[in-house]
Amino acid sequence: MALTRRQKEVLDFIVVFLKEHEFSPSFEEIADGMGLASIATVHKHLTALETKGYLKRSFNQSRALELGPKYYRELRLKRQEAAHNAFAPPSLSTPLLGTIAAGRPIEAFPNQESLSFKDFLGAPDVYALEVRGESMIEDHIMEGDYVLVEKTEQVRDGDIVVALVGGSESTLKRFYHESGGKARLQPANSTMDPIMVPLSDLQIQGRVLAVHRKYR
């Protein structure tokens, strides 16, 4: 059973009193401290707190209030939650509010979904690279963009990959298998020629997962 607001205030008063004095308050001290009209009202609140497991009382002793098992259980849960939140990573999601037209206007609708980046960020096999050059502009990857790359050697034809050519030069291109043990690294720029390279001279260092662009 949940505590009422007044029961919670009485319990908080007792907790603070115990911390400050190292013994429990008397009924009179609770009444004075809480501004309660009578000892009977104090007794009513203490009985409710005891019934709900937040207090223990010994009726044959003065100042015989003790905090009950439910109080300590909830205190322990709050501390565990606080410790978890202190070390929890920041949220990797952002509200997804709908779609936006880049052509004709469309009607906007409220949307309660969220877009999560946790599949990309924080993973040990995902890293970021800043793009230099214009070889992928027709795939909307511009100079200054950041690509998120999954570290893998297993890619399929058409994947955008980070490829190390001849052990010395890394490049961002679309990957295609060709006959004769070769690969084609295809730029997304009609003014540039593809790179043909023997598979033996090619090392795939990763596959592009996403593109991030900052507007300054």
Side-chain angles (χ1 to χ4, degrees):
M1 292 182 290
L3 297 179
T4 66
R5 179 183 61 83
R6 199 56 166 160
Q7 289 167 3
K8 177 68 165 55
E9 291 172 351
V10 171
L11 180 62
D12 290 343
F13 177 86
I14 295 170
V15 170
V16 172
F17 193 100
L18 284 167
K19 288 180 179 179
E20 292 180 351
H21 300 88
E22 298 185 355
F23 55 82
S24 64
S26 66
F27 282 25
E28 291 80 6
E29 287 166 333
I30 295 173
D32 290 342
M34 296 296 302
L36 299 175
S38 67
I39 299 301
T41 304
V42 174
H43 177 75
K44 181 187 71 174
H45 289 312
L46 296 182
T47 299
L49 289 169
E50 184 179 22
T51 300
K52 294 178 180 181
Y54 290 91
L55 283 182
K56 293 191 298 182
R57 287 193 290 173
S58 175
F59 291 94
N60 297 322
Q61 299 179 28
S62 175
R63 301 182 182 275
L65 296 175
E66 297 179 17
L67 297 174
K70 191 165 184 180
Y71 169 81
Y72 287 112
R73 184 163 60 249
E74 290 188 0
L75 180 64
R76 183 169 61 253
L77 290 174
K78 288 179 181 178
R79 288 176 175 172
Q80 290 172 349
E81 183 179 352
H84 172 76
N85 291 337
F87 293 99
S91 173
L92 298 179
S93 65
T94 191
L96 179 60
L97 300 183
T99 59
I100 184 68
R104 293 187 304 167
I106 60 174
E107 185 177 359
F109 294 93
N111 193 320
Q112 299 301 317
E113 297 181 28
S114 63
L115 182 63
S116 176
F117 298 94
K118 65 182 180 180
D119 293 337
F120 301 147
L121 304 179
D125 57 348
V126 174
Y127 60 94
L129 294 171
E130 183 176 358
V131 177
R132 288 284 179 250
E134 299 182 343
S135 68
M136 300 302 290
I137 58 174
E138 291 169 15
D139 276 334
H140 309 289
I141 301 176
M142 315 293 289
E143 181 163 351
D145 288 351
Y146 296 89
V147 289
L148 292 178
V149 182
E150 178 189 15
K151 186 177 181 180
T152 181
E153 297 179 358
Q154 306 301 316
V155 296
R156 297 175 296 182
D157 282 3
D159 284 346
I160 301 176
V161 303
V162 176
L164 181 65
V165 180
S168 60
E169 181 183 356
S170 289
T171 186
L172 189 71
K173 299 288 187 292
R174 285 197 181 272
F175 171 85
Y176 295 94
H177 286 94
E178 297 289 344
S179 60
K182 292 185 177 182
R184 171 167 51 96
L185 301 178
Q186 182 68 46
N189 186 329
S190 56
T191 68
M192 296 182 178
D193 295 327
I195 300 172
M196 303 297 295
V197 58
L199 288 171
S200 59
D201 290 340
L202 182 68
Q203 181 183 351
I204 301 299
Q205 297 182 315
R207 175 176 61 91
V208 171
L209 297 174
V211 181
H212 174 68
R213 179 174 301 159
K214 290 183 178 180
Y215 292 93
R216 297 179 176 88

